[in-house]
Amino acid sequence: MKERVLSERQTDGDLKSLISALEQVGAAEARVALVLGSGLGAFADDLGDAQASPFTDLPGMPRSAVPGHAGRIVIGTLPGSGAHDKPVKVLVQQGRVHLYEGWTPEEVTRSVRAYAALGIGCLVLTNAAGGLRRDWSVPTLMRIEDHINLQGVTALGPGERASGSPYGSQLATLLMEAAEESGVTLHSGVYAALTGPTYETPSEIRMLTKIGADAVGMSTAQEACAAHAAGLPVAAISCITNAAAGHSEGPLNHEEVVEAGRQIAADFSRLLANAVPRLAQQV
Ligand code: HPA
């Protein structure tokens, strides 16, 4: 196992259990780890030599009860593409846990801390989000260039430091090149992370627009900060499944979000299949 410096937060017993459980299923061989959000899990279906471990088989891994989150970690091989033709070992986390389910920031970020400790080269976080830009049609994809954490908590413990945007510009460039080569529209913007689980009110959406957000969701910010503090480079993509409250007719519901995720799944998978071998070559 390649060691990164472990902070106090990274030495707790549950994290150690998770690290050793992941080592036993070969996670340390992965070059890239991906966390797939609501309705976006299909990317893992095309991996070669795939080995799936349900969260319940991994001691220390918190498990989600949200429909659309499969709750397993798949380790497998992605074929290379184009100029990046070497196959890449990847770890795909299908599903995540959220603060609104009652999990602590430490639990929400435990898996990404484990990926950092295992020496995995980079992390791609994905999520479903509401769109605040009236000039973007939905569903669509957005590279997260930065976030605004409105969740009222931080995952970082004493002694952990992070500054600047967690989303590195080098990985961002690779994502944009991959989007262009695969013919997928990829916007760039700022993700506002709220606690949920209620969708926003129209007034909250007006506020978020004023403070500079382009998309809104209920995840990702804690994981990005924890990974950044642990020295794990991060890229992130929001799948904008709906126009945010007040920008669309009628109330939002989780089933619509999952269905829109399915509609854009082909673009999303094509983008990842092109981007991941590029990312692997950089790390
Ligand atoms: N708001 C918050 N989270 C979301 C949304 C939304 O509109 N859509 C998908 N996740």
PDB file of all heavy atoms in Angstrom, residues 124-147:
ATOM      1  N   VAL A 124     -12.882  10.995  -8.909  1.00  0.00           N
ATOM      2  CA  VAL A 124     -13.901  11.689  -9.705  1.00  0.00           C
ATOM      3  C   VAL A 124     -15.221  11.575  -8.945  1.00  0.00           C
ATOM      4  O   VAL A 124     -15.744  10.478  -8.752  1.00  0.00           O
ATOM      5  CB  VAL A 124     -14.047  11.058 -11.110  1.00  0.00           C
ATOM      6  CG1 VAL A 124     -15.103  11.823 -11.917  1.00  0.00           C
ATOM      7  CG2 VAL A 124     -12.711  11.043 -11.846  1.00  0.00           C
ATOM      8  N   LEU A 125     -15.719  12.716  -8.484  1.00  0.00           N
ATOM      9  CA  LEU A 125     -16.992  12.746  -7.763  1.00  0.00           C
ATOM     10  C   LEU A 125     -18.091  13.122  -8.745  1.00  0.00           C
ATOM     11  O   LEU A 125     -17.898  14.021  -9.579  1.00  0.00           O
ATOM     12  CB  LEU A 125     -16.936  13.789  -6.635  1.00  0.00           C
ATOM     13  CG  LEU A 125     -15.932  13.506  -5.528  1.00  0.00           C
ATOM     14  CD1 LEU A 125     -15.783  14.722  -4.612  1.00  0.00           C
ATOM     15  CD2 LEU A 125     -16.344  12.281  -4.713  1.00  0.00           C
ATOM     16  N   THR A 126     -19.231  12.460  -8.661  1.00  0.00           N
ATOM     17  CA  THR A 126     -20.357  12.823  -9.533  1.00  0.00           C
ATOM     18  C   THR A 126     -21.609  12.930  -8.678  1.00  0.00           C
ATOM     19  O   THR A 126     -21.688  12.347  -7.590  1.00  0.00           O
ATOM     20  CB  THR A 126     -20.578  11.782 -10.657  1.00  0.00           C
ATOM     21  OG1 THR A 126     -21.124  10.583 -10.095  1.00  0.00           O
ATOM     22  CG2 THR A 126     -19.290  11.461 -11.393  1.00  0.00           C
ATOM     23  N   ASN A 127     -22.570  13.684  -9.175  1.00  0.00           N
ATOM     24  CA  ASN A 127     -23.818  13.844  -8.422  1.00  0.00           C
ATOM     25  C   ASN A 127     -24.939  14.233  -9.370  1.00  0.00           C
ATOM     26  O   ASN A 127     -24.697  14.591 -10.517  1.00  0.00           O
ATOM     27  CB  ASN A 127     -23.652  14.920  -7.329  1.00  0.00           C
ATOM     28  CG  ASN A 127     -23.254  16.268  -7.879  1.00  0.00           C
ATOM     29  OD1 ASN A 127     -23.788  16.719  -8.885  1.00  0.00           O
ATOM     30  ND2 ASN A 127     -22.296  16.923  -7.231  1.00  0.00           N
ATOM     31  N   ALA A 128     -26.162  14.156  -8.848  1.00  0.00           N
ATOM     32  CA  ALA A 128     -27.315  14.740  -9.539  1.00  0.00           C
ATOM     33  C   ALA A 128     -27.524  16.114  -8.921  1.00  0.00           C
ATOM     34  O   ALA A 128     -27.311  16.292  -7.718  1.00  0.00           O
ATOM     35  CB  ALA A 128     -28.533  13.862  -9.333  1.00  0.00           C
ATOM     36  N   ALA A 129     -27.899  17.079  -9.737  1.00  0.00           N
ATOM     37  CA  ALA A 129     -28.052  18.437  -9.217  1.00  0.00           C
ATOM     38  C   ALA A 129     -29.181  19.153  -9.942  1.00  0.00           C
ATOM     39  O   ALA A 129     -29.569  18.767 -11.048  1.00  0.00           O
ATOM     40  CB  ALA A 129     -26.743  19.214  -9.406  1.00  0.00           C
ATOM     41  N   GLY A 130     -29.683  20.204  -9.300  1.00  0.00           N
ATOM     42  CA  GLY A 130     -30.655  21.076  -9.950  1.00  0.00           C
ATOM     43  C   GLY A 130     -29.900  22.204 -10.647  1.00  0.00           C
ATOM     44  O   GLY A 130     -28.856  22.652 -10.171  1.00  0.00           O
ATOM     45  N   GLY A 131     -30.423  22.662 -11.769  1.00  0.00           N
ATOM     46  CA  GLY A 131     -29.742  23.692 -12.551  1.00  0.00           C
ATOM     47  C   GLY A 131     -30.302  25.073 -12.283  1.00  0.00           C
ATOM     48  O   GLY A 131     -31.512  25.267 -12.211  1.00  0.00           O
ATOM     49  N   LEU A 132     -29.399  26.052 -12.116  1.00  0.00           N
ATOM     50  CA  LEU A 132     -29.828  27.432 -11.859  1.00  0.00           C
ATOM     51  C   LEU A 132     -29.706  28.322 -13.080  1.00  0.00           C
ATOM     52  O   LEU A 132     -30.112  29.475 -13.039  1.00  0.00           O
ATOM     53  CB  LEU A 132     -28.994  28.021 -10.711  1.00  0.00           C
ATOM     54  CG  LEU A 132     -29.497  27.696  -9.300  1.00  0.00           C
ATOM     55  CD1 LEU A 132     -29.302  26.240  -8.964  1.00  0.00           C
ATOM     56  CD2 LEU A 132     -28.751  28.534  -8.266  1.00  0.00           C
ATOM     57  N   ARG A 133     -29.121  27.792 -14.146  1.00  0.00           N
ATOM     58  CA  ARG A 133     -28.871  28.619 -15.324  1.00  0.00           C
ATOM     59  C   ARG A 133     -30.012  28.455 -16.318  1.00  0.00           C
ATOM     60  O   ARG A 133     -30.235  27.370 -16.840  1.00  0.00           O
ATOM     61  CB  ARG A 133     -27.551  28.161 -15.955  1.00  0.00           C
ATOM     62  CG  ARG A 133     -26.338  28.439 -15.082  1.00  0.00           C
ATOM     63  CD  ARG A 133     -25.957  29.892 -15.144  1.00  0.00           C
ATOM     64  NE  ARG A 133     -25.553  30.241 -16.486  1.00  0.00           N
ATOM     65  CZ  ARG A 133     -24.277  30.332 -16.886  1.00  0.00           C
ATOM     66  NH1 ARG A 133     -23.291  30.137 -16.047  1.00  0.00           N
ATOM     67  NH2 ARG A 133     -23.983  30.636 -18.131  1.00  0.00           N
ATOM     68  N   ARG A 134     -30.707  29.555 -16.580  1.00  0.00           N
ATOM     69  CA  ARG A 134     -31.836  29.476 -17.514  1.00  0.00           C
ATOM     70  C   ARG A 134     -31.343  29.259 -18.942  1.00  0.00           C
ATOM     71  O   ARG A 134     -32.104  28.846 -19.811  1.00  0.00           O
ATOM     72  CB  ARG A 134     -32.678  30.749 -17.442  1.00  0.00           C
ATOM     73  CG  ARG A 134     -33.412  30.892 -16.109  1.00  0.00           C
ATOM     74  CD  ARG A 134     -34.335  32.087 -16.137  1.00  0.00           C
ATOM     75  NE  ARG A 134     -34.895  32.385 -14.835  1.00  0.00           N
ATOM     76  CZ  ARG A 134     -35.998  31.837 -14.340  1.00  0.00           C
ATOM     77  NH1 ARG A 134     -36.662  30.952 -15.036  1.00  0.00           N
ATOM     78  NH2 ARG A 134     -36.432  32.171 -13.134  1.00  0.00           N
ATOM     79  N   ASP A 135     -30.044  29.572 -19.189  1.00  0.00           N
ATOM     80  CA  ASP A 135     -29.521  29.405 -20.558  1.00  0.00           C
ATOM     81  C   ASP A 135     -28.963  27.998 -20.811  1.00  0.00           C
ATOM     82  O   ASP A 135     -28.431  27.733 -21.876  1.00  0.00           O
ATOM     83  CB  ASP A 135     -28.446  30.475 -20.850  1.00  0.00           C
ATOM     84  CG  ASP A 135     -27.334  30.518 -19.803  1.00  0.00           C
ATOM     85  OD1 ASP A 135     -27.562  30.087 -18.656  1.00  0.00           O
ATOM     86  OD2 ASP A 135     -26.228  30.983 -20.143  1.00  0.00           O
ATOM     87  N   TRP A 136     -29.063  27.087 -19.850  1.00  0.00           N
ATOM     88  CA  TRP A 136     -28.658  25.692 -20.087  1.00  0.00           C
ATOM     89  C   TRP A 136     -29.920  24.834 -20.163  1.00  0.00           C
ATOM     90  O   TRP A 136     -30.774  24.912 -19.272  1.00  0.00           O
ATOM     91  CB  TRP A 136     -27.794  25.149 -18.932  1.00  0.00           C
ATOM     92  CG  TRP A 136     -26.477  25.841 -18.757  1.00  0.00           C
ATOM     93  CD1 TRP A 136     -25.901  26.776 -19.576  1.00  0.00           C
ATOM     94  CD2 TRP A 136     -25.566  25.663 -17.662  1.00  0.00           C
ATOM     95  NE1 TRP A 136     -24.689  27.185 -19.063  1.00  0.00           N
ATOM     96  CE2 TRP A 136     -24.461  26.518 -17.890  1.00  0.00           C
ATOM     97  CE3 TRP A 136     -25.567  24.865 -16.516  1.00  0.00           C
ATOM     98  CZ2 TRP A 136     -23.374  26.592 -17.019  1.00  0.00           C
ATOM     99  CZ3 TRP A 136     -24.493  24.935 -15.646  1.00  0.00           C
ATOM    100  CH2 TRP A 136     -23.413  25.792 -15.897  1.00  0.00           C
ATOM    101  N   SER A 137     -30.022  23.980 -21.201  1.00  0.00           N
ATOM    102  CA  SER A 137     -31.192  23.097 -21.228  1.00  0.00           C
ATOM    103  C   SER A 137     -30.881  21.866 -20.376  1.00  0.00           C
ATOM    104  O   SER A 137     -29.715  21.518 -20.193  1.00  0.00           O
ATOM    105  CB  SER A 137     -31.539  22.711 -22.661  1.00  0.00           C
ATOM    106  OG  SER A 137     -30.430  22.116 -23.256  1.00  0.00           O
ATOM    107  N   VAL A 138     -31.908  21.241 -19.817  1.00  0.00           N
ATOM    108  CA  VAL A 138     -31.690  20.075 -18.954  1.00  0.00           C
ATOM    109  C   VAL A 138     -32.344  18.836 -19.569  1.00  0.00           C
ATOM    110  O   VAL A 138     -33.324  18.987 -20.296  1.00  0.00           O
ATOM    111  CB  VAL A 138     -32.262  20.300 -17.529  1.00  0.00           C
ATOM    112  CG1 VAL A 138     -31.496  21.359 -16.793  1.00  0.00           C
ATOM    113  CG2 VAL A 138     -33.742  20.606 -17.555  1.00  0.00           C
ATOM    114  N   PRO A 139     -31.840  17.615 -19.312  1.00  0.00           N
ATOM    115  CA  PRO A 139     -30.650  17.352 -18.514  1.00  0.00           C
ATOM    116  C   PRO A 139     -29.369  17.723 -19.253  1.00  0.00           C
ATOM    117  O   PRO A 139     -29.321  17.699 -20.469  1.00  0.00           O
ATOM    118  CB  PRO A 139     -30.722  15.840 -18.265  1.00  0.00           C
ATOM    119  CG  PRO A 139     -31.514  15.277 -19.387  1.00  0.00           C
ATOM    120  CD  PRO A 139     -32.456  16.352 -19.812  1.00  0.00           C
ATOM    121  N   THR A 140     -28.345  18.059 -18.464  1.00  0.00           N
ATOM    122  CA  THR A 140     -27.043  18.375 -19.048  1.00  0.00           C
ATOM    123  C   THR A 140     -25.947  18.090 -18.015  1.00  0.00           C
ATOM    124  O   THR A 140     -26.255  17.735 -16.868  1.00  0.00           O
ATOM    125  CB  THR A 140     -26.997  19.850 -19.531  1.00  0.00           C
ATOM    126  OG1 THR A 140     -25.835  20.048 -20.333  1.00  0.00           O
ATOM    127  CG2 THR A 140     -26.974  20.851 -18.383  1.00  0.00           C
ATOM    128  N   LEU A 141     -24.705  18.219 -18.425  1.00  0.00           N
ATOM    129  CA  LEU A 141     -23.584  17.908 -17.530  1.00  0.00           C
ATOM    130  C   LEU A 141     -22.781  19.166 -17.226  1.00  0.00           C
ATOM    131  O   LEU A 141     -22.626  20.031 -18.097  1.00  0.00           O
ATOM    132  CB  LEU A 141     -22.665  16.859 -18.179  1.00  0.00           C
ATOM    133  CG  LEU A 141     -23.336  15.524 -18.537  1.00  0.00           C
ATOM    134  CD1 LEU A 141     -22.372  14.629 -19.317  1.00  0.00           C
ATOM    135  CD2 LEU A 141     -23.801  14.794 -17.280  1.00  0.00           C
ATOM    136  N   MET A 142     -22.294  19.270 -16.000  1.00  0.00           N
ATOM    137  CA  MET A 142     -21.486  20.432 -15.592  1.00  0.00           C
ATOM    138  C   MET A 142     -20.255  19.960 -14.829  1.00  0.00           C
ATOM    139  O   MET A 142     -20.363  19.197 -13.868  1.00  0.00           O
ATOM    140  CB  MET A 142     -22.317  21.350 -14.682  1.00  0.00           C
ATOM    141  CG  MET A 142     -21.570  22.592 -14.224  1.00  0.00           C
ATOM    142  SD  MET A 142     -22.471  23.542 -12.968  1.00  0.00           S
ATOM    143  CE  MET A 142     -21.811  22.813 -11.444  1.00  0.00           C
ATOM    144  N   ARG A 143     -19.107  20.423 -15.277  1.00  0.00           N
ATOM    145  CA  ARG A 143     -17.882  20.202 -14.497  1.00  0.00           C
ATOM    146  C   ARG A 143     -17.918  21.182 -13.327  1.00  0.00           C
ATOM    147  O   ARG A 143     -18.217  22.363 -13.516  1.00  0.00           O
ATOM    148  CB  ARG A 143     -16.680  20.497 -15.399  1.00  0.00           C
ATOM    149  CG  ARG A 143     -15.376  20.584 -14.683  1.00  0.00           C
ATOM    150  CD  ARG A 143     -14.261  20.967 -15.632  1.00  0.00           C
ATOM    151  NE  ARG A 143     -14.249  22.373 -15.984  1.00  0.00           N
ATOM    152  CZ  ARG A 143     -13.727  23.344 -15.235  1.00  0.00           C
ATOM    153  NH1 ARG A 143     -13.190  23.056 -14.055  1.00  0.00           N
ATOM    154  NH2 ARG A 143     -13.741  24.591 -15.627  1.00  0.00           N
ATOM    155  N   ILE A 144     -17.668  20.673 -12.128  1.00  0.00           N
ATOM    156  CA  ILE A 144     -17.664  21.570 -10.965  1.00  0.00           C
ATOM    157  C   ILE A 144     -16.305  22.260 -10.904  1.00  0.00           C
ATOM    158  O   ILE A 144     -15.267  21.594 -10.779  1.00  0.00           O
ATOM    159  CB  ILE A 144     -17.942  20.793  -9.655  1.00  0.00           C
ATOM    160  CG1 ILE A 144     -19.311  20.099  -9.737  1.00  0.00           C
ATOM    161  CG2 ILE A 144     -17.886  21.730  -8.455  1.00  0.00           C
ATOM    162  CD1 ILE A 144     -19.714  19.334  -8.475  1.00  0.00           C
ATOM    163  N   GLU A 145     -16.326  23.600 -11.032  1.00  0.00           N
ATOM    164  CA  GLU A 145     -15.036  24.315 -10.956  1.00  0.00           C
ATOM    165  C   GLU A 145     -14.759  24.744  -9.522  1.00  0.00           C
ATOM    166  O   GLU A 145     -13.611  24.971  -9.146  1.00  0.00           O
ATOM    167  CB  GLU A 145     -15.000  25.493 -11.931  1.00  0.00           C
ATOM    168  CG  GLU A 145     -16.074  26.521 -11.704  1.00  0.00           C
ATOM    169  CD  GLU A 145     -16.105  27.598 -12.786  1.00  0.00           C
ATOM    170  OE1 GLU A 145     -15.952  27.259 -13.973  1.00  0.00           O
ATOM    171  OE2 GLU A 145     -16.296  28.764 -12.418  1.00  0.00           O
ATOM    172  N   ASP A 146     -15.815  24.873  -8.729  1.00  0.00           N
ATOM    173  CA  ASP A 146     -15.661  25.211  -7.310  1.00  0.00           C
ATOM    174  C   ASP A 146     -17.015  24.959  -6.649  1.00  0.00           C
ATOM    175  O   ASP A 146     -18.020  24.763  -7.341  1.00  0.00           O
ATOM    176  CB  ASP A 146     -15.257  26.684  -7.166  1.00  0.00           C
ATOM    177  CG  ASP A 146     -14.588  26.982  -5.820  1.00  0.00           C
ATOM    178  OD1 ASP A 146     -14.463  26.059  -4.991  1.00  0.00           O
ATOM    179  OD2 ASP A 146     -14.203  28.147  -5.606  1.00  0.00           O
ATOM    180  N   HIS A 147     -17.044  24.960  -5.310  1.00  0.00           N
ATOM    181  CA  HIS A 147     -18.339  24.800  -4.647  1.00  0.00           C
ATOM    182  C   HIS A 147     -18.531  25.867  -3.579  1.00  0.00           C
ATOM    183  O   HIS A 147     -17.575  26.537  -3.161  1.00  0.00           O
ATOM    184  CB  HIS A 147     -18.508  23.387  -4.070  1.00  0.00           C
ATOM    185  CG  HIS A 147     -17.635  23.055  -2.898  1.00  0.00           C
ATOM    186  ND1 HIS A 147     -16.866  21.917  -2.823  1.00  0.00           N
ATOM    187  CD2 HIS A 147     -17.409  23.708  -1.716  1.00  0.00           C
ATOM    188  CE1 HIS A 147     -16.225  21.893  -1.668  1.00  0.00           C
ATOM    189  NE2 HIS A 147     -16.531  22.970  -0.982  1.00  0.00           N
TER     190      HIS A 147
END
